[in-house]
């Protein structure tokens, strides 16, 4: 067992808190009115929204997200948060670990 420390601290866009071979876990936050400039990832990804309200654009769809929303984004799919009307915070899980499939 390992306690993940620092999770939920707001103000930093992306912080990885745990990395093992088959997954990585971090927190992602964007202030209200902010811009999400992320690029598609080479790994599958799950977002668990813990605070805020926004719209997630992914694979040509747009869905409203709020605390409690859980979203799966497959590897390679273009996605980003838009219309961030309240400070947004999410727990992010990558499987396998983020960038572990990236070409060197």
């Amino acid at each position: 067992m390992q306690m993940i420390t620092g999770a939920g601290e707001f103000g930093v866009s992306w912080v990885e808190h745990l990395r093992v071979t088959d997954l990585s876990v971090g927190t992602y936050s964007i202030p209200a009115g902010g811009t999400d400039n992320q690029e598609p990832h080479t790994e599958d990804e799950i977002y668990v929204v813990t605070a805020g309200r926004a719209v997630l654009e992914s694979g040509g769809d747009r869905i409203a997200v709020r605390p409690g929303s859980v979203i799966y984004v497959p590897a390679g799919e273009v996605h980003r948060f838009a219309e961030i009307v309240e400070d947004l915070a999410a727990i992010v899980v990558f499987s396998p670990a983020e960038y572990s499939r990236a070409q060197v």
Side-chain angles (χ1 to χ4, degrees):
M1 174 170 37
Q2 178 179 344
M3 173 66 99
I4 298 174
T5 60
E9 294 177 6
F10 193 79
V12 176
S13 292
W14 166 250
V15 177
E16 184 177 76
H17 300 282
L18 173 72
R19 172 180 282 270
V20 294
T21 302
D22 293 329
L23 68 92
S24 59
V25 178
T27 50
Y28 190 50
S29 61
I30 307 167
T35 301
D36 181 5
N37 293 319
Q38 66 178 303
E39 298 289 327
H41 308 287
T42 56
E43 298 75 29
D44 292 333
E45 184 175 14
I46 293 177
Y47 290 98
V48 179
V49 177
T50 58
R53 294 187 186 278
V55 170
L56 181 65
E57 301 173 340
S58 183
D61 293 325
R62 292 172 47 88
I63 58 169
V65 299
R66 58 179 174 68
S69 296
V70 179
I71 307 103
Y72 165 72
V73 179
E77 187 166 282
V78 175
H79 62 285
R80 67 185 30 85
F81 290 98
E83 300 176 32
I84 303 159
V85 296
E86 293 178 10
D87 291 348
L88 184 70
I91 297 168
V92 185
V93 179
F94 288 99
S95 181
E98 184 184 28
Y99 298 124
S100 62
R101 292 181 181 163
Q103 297 295 325
V104 178

